[in-house]
Amino acid sequence: MMSKIQNRPNILLIMSDQHRGDCLGIEGHQVIQTPNLNAIAASGVRFSHCYSTCPVCVPARRSLLSGQYPQTHGIRDYRVEPWQEPATLPAVLRKAGYQTFLVGRSMHQYPHNKRFGFDHMISNDDYADWLKEKVPHIRCPQ
């Protein structure tokens, strides 16, 4: 007999910057070929009519993490600062029995080593390193 946790669906949330929703093969784009994303989208739930709370990546990601609008969590631009977040999406999922994992850029999370509810984190902060080198007056979260 399977436990309740084993009956739950896996959740894979992909969040990319500067990626229009119609730039996927599964959306019928004439030129762009995205076979792997198409396969993932075809076998799960795809939110094809969603809008971001903010067109700027830092507040948009913070909104997704917290479930709050930018005017509530306080970030409306590219600033990255510490914050006292409410229950985050990964923390809520973890409490429900999921194992949460962040893979990718964590530059929008500050301080850098704060987990925000993720059980595991593998980050690629090459962009933050490049930005610190090229634009040293900008504070990068590392």
Side-chain angles (χ1 to χ4, degrees):
M1 183 166 145
M2 294 178 97
S3 73
K4 288 174 84 176
I5 291 176
Q6 290 173 324
N7 289 328
R8 293 182 185 177
N10 289 320
I11 299 171
L12 175 63
L13 177 62
I14 299 173
M15 185 173 191
S16 60
D17 290 341
Q18 297 86 29
H19 185 167
R20 286 180 19 177
D22 63 350
C23 289
L24 293 169
I26 198 165
E27 286 289 336
H29 198 283
Q30 300 292 324
V31 177
I32 297 175
Q33 297 179 14
T34 56
N36 294 325
L37 290 174
N38 294 354
I40 292 168
S43 66
V45 175
R46 185 170 52 96
F47 300 99
S48 60
H49 291 86
C50 291
Y51 293 89
S52 178
T53 58
C54 183
V56 179
C57 63
V58 175
R61 288 173 185 268
R62 192 164 285 189
S63 289
L64 184 65
L65 204 60
S66 70
Q68 297 179 334
Y69 287 105
Q71 58 266 37
T72 304
H73 62 61
I75 300 298
R76 297 181 187 141
D77 55 24
Y78 292 101
R79 287 180 298 130
V80 181
E81 333 181 310
W83 59 304
Q84 293 301 318
E85 74 287 342
T88 61
L89 177 60
V92 169
L93 289 171
R94 186 178 66 203
K95 190 174 180 180
Y98 281 90
Q99 187 175 36
T100 59
F101 211 116
L102 169 73
V103 177
R105 284 180 22 198
S106 65
M107 64 170 281
H108 302 308
Q109 296 181 196
Y110 190 80
H112 173 66
N113 59 354
K114 189 171 181 179
R115 296 216 172 255
F116 294 97
F118 289 105
D119 291 312
H120 308 283
M121 294 172 57
I122 297 176
S123 66
N124 176 350
D125 291 307
D126 293 339
Y127 177 73
D129 293 340
W130 178 87
L131 195 60
K132 279 170 48 175
E133 177 186 322
K134 302 294 181 189
V135 191
H137 63 278
I138 291 180
R139 189 177 106 219
C140 292
Q142 280 191 330

